[in-house]
Amino acid sequence: MRAIVAASLRQTRATITFKDGYPPMPFTEGNYALMAEFDAVNQALGMSAGRAFDPGQRGAADISFVAPSVDGIDSLGPLGSGSHRG
């Protein structure tokens, strides 16, 4: 990517910046089991199905840093509101 940016066309200039961010939330067997429980509760309450979102549509969550060791569903699908959305 840097090489492409460095090869700008004449009379043009491009820059690229990389910033560290949250690691992606992986799907694990434990996460799927928690999502299944979340879905069962939703269904019992007459709510829409609980499902994991596409990775490109998910928010960030602190649990992503420990996700290989701890099961969770933050950042997989359940939505909150305000600063705790998604």
Side-chain angles (χ1 to χ4, degrees), residues 32-79:
Y32 278 121
L34 287 174
M35 284 300 294
E37 289 184 43
F38 177 74
D39 179 52
V41 170
N42 277 2
Q43 299 292 325
L45 295 173
M47 299 172 69
S48 62
R51 63 178 177 79
F53 290 153
D54 176 275
Q57 297 176 334
R58 293 188 233 149
D62 291 340
I63 195 167
S64 296
F65 291 99
V66 296
S69 304
V70 178
D71 296 326
I73 57 175
D74 283 358
S75 190
L76 289 180
L79 296 175

